[in-house]
Amino acid sequence: MTDEPRGTLPNLVVIGAMNCGTTSFYHYLRWHPEIHMSTPKELHFFAKEWNWGRGLTWYSSHFSTEAAVNGEISPLYTTFPEHLGIAARMHRVIPAAKLIYLVRDPIERMITHYIHYVSADREHDPLTKALTRSTGNRYLERSRYWTQLEQYLEHYDPDQILVLQSEGLAQDRAATLQRAFEFLGVDPGFNSRRFRVRRHVSSRKRVKTRTGRRLDQVLPVRLLRRLPNHFRWPLEDALFYPFSRRIPRPVPDEEVRRFLANQLAGEVEQLRSFTGEAFADWSIPA
């Protein structure tokens, strides 16, 4: 990494987690007049397998020299051990940045993750088999919040990291956003009618029928993927709606829940200790 930044570098990175409301949070942040968020939302710059090789000139071109806060959101940044070295690379480039980590009930996150993969035709196993895989279990690894956070605590001071509950964005959005704005040093009292909107709600996810999958391979439809997400997603929703079906939210049985709770109990306890938060509504008790 020898090139020089062309514009400016971010002082905010939202590091995840996947399926924890990061798309809605992205829009809430970018609507604040003192905050500039990258377009697209997910730059994946610090993942070596993705865009690290594009260099600082490419990365810095996504940010504004006129904003007090410049940020990006990439849930890929909390996918250890699938992607290694992200926190070290990030600290090397932006050591003074503030990090925000959105989390939610880890088992509920896994279920939403499963729905996301089913809708994207990336998962074909039933819920129980998918969530309890003994190897390569992305659902479980991405709910190991403390393990993911540890990667950053090796490089960043704890006071540079804010952990927010996704449930707070749903249930008490104004107070949760105020915490985020205070952490970032921008006007904490800013409000907008657009804050009422939630995006990418899992209950709206659909899976393509056989006809929909064939349609997805037609060249004009494949070209849609080159559009920015905020243009592409509404077009895809309208196009594929007649050729898709709703995905009912699956419910894991009690044996599966106990298995997952045992796997994640230590992670949640460490997170409680670090944040001082009780996470009382989560399905993994203290």
Side-chain angles (χ1 to χ4, degrees):
M1 189 64 54
T2 58
D3 59 339
E4 293 297 326
R6 183 170 64 195
T8 191
L9 290 170
N11 51 7
L12 163 66
V13 181
V14 180
I15 58 176
M18 182 179 178
N19 300 115
C20 287
T22 59
T23 298
S24 291
F25 193 51
Y26 166 80
H27 290 283
Y28 302 150
L29 290 174
R30 77 183 184 91
W31 288 328
H32 194 292
E34 298 174 75
I35 300 175
H36 173 87
M37 299 299 294
S38 68
T39 302
K41 164 199 165 198
E42 299 178 12
L43 298 179
H44 302 324
F45 178 64
F46 296 105
K48 189 174 182 180
E49 302 87 343
W50 285 72
N51 289 324
W52 178 250
R54 292 185 177 225
L56 291 180
T57 298
W58 175 85
Y59 187 52
S60 62
S61 69
H62 293 85
F63 305 105
S64 169
T65 57
E66 299 178 2
V69 173
N70 278 278
E72 66 141 321
I73 296 181
S74 291
L76 187 77
Y77 294 159
T78 43
T79 57
F80 176 87
E82 183 180 352
H83 296 96
L84 303 175
I86 288 176
R89 289 186 207 99
M90 188 180 296
H91 186 261
R92 174 179 162 188
V93 174
I94 46 173
K98 292 184 176 181
L99 312 180
I100 296 179
Y101 191 21
L102 275 176
V103 297
R104 67 184 289 193
D105 182 303
I107 295 176
E108 293 303 312
R109 193 216 65 79
M110 292 175 70
I111 297 170
T112 303
H113 188 170
Y114 173 82
I115 294 171
H116 175 83
Y117 272 10
V118 169
S119 71
D121 202 28
R122 298 178 62 184
E123 179 61 77
H124 304 98
D125 283 337
L127 179 76
T128 294
K129 183 176 181 180
L131 299 195
T132 58
R133 287 185 185 120
S134 58
T135 59
N137 191 335
R138 292 179 176 178
Y139 306 109
L140 188 59
E141 294 301 339
R142 296 185 188 189
S143 276
R144 294 190 187 278
Y145 301 139
W146 179 250
T147 294
Q148 302 298 338
L149 198 54
E150 275 188 313
Q151 312 310 308
Y152 291 89
L153 290 170
E154 291 181 9
H155 303 279
Y156 287 91
D157 292 335
D159 60 6
Q160 290 178 261
I161 301 173
L162 175 66
V163 177
L164 289 177
Q165 288 190 66
S166 176
E167 291 90 344
L169 282 178
Q171 299 163 9
D172 195 353
R173 189 164 305 149
T176 303
L177 291 176
Q178 182 176 348
R179 281 189 66 196
F181 296 154
E182 287 175 346
F183 175 69
L184 297 174
V186 297
D187 178 10
F190 176 77
N191 202 353
S192 169
R193 286 183 296 177
R194 290 183 289 185
F195 288 170
R196 300 172 188 172
V197 178
R198 289 187 68 195
R199 295 171 182 260
H200 273 205
V201 180
S202 64
S203 60
R204 296 182 59 198
K205 294 284 187 181
R206 301 175 69 85
V207 62
K208 297 180 184 71
T209 62
R210 182 178 299 177
T211 301
R213 291 195 295 272
R214 287 200 296 264
L215 179 63
D216 196 32
Q217 299 307 310
V218 176
L219 180 60
V221 176
R222 287 161 55 192
L223 292 176
L224 278 177
R225 298 172 193 150
R226 299 183 182 182
L227 294 174
N229 288 339
H230 61 284
F231 290 124
R232 174 186 138 207
W233 287 333
L235 291 173
E236 286 185 334
D237 286 349
L239 177 64
F240 285 106
Y241 191 88
F243 310 106
S244 62
R245 56 182 172 79
R246 189 176 68 86
I247 305 172
R249 188 171 183 84
V251 179
D253 62 34
E254 286 306 309
E255 183 177 355
V256 171
R257 282 193 175 274
R258 283 194 298 271
F259 170 80
L260 297 175
N262 287 335
Q263 292 289 314
L264 295 166
E267 297 275 337
V268 175
E269 280 308 302
Q270 292 275 30
L271 193 66
R272 286 182 172 125
S273 177
F274 175 76
T275 62
E277 300 281 345
F279 304 111
D281 296 333
W282 285 10
S283 57
I284 301 177

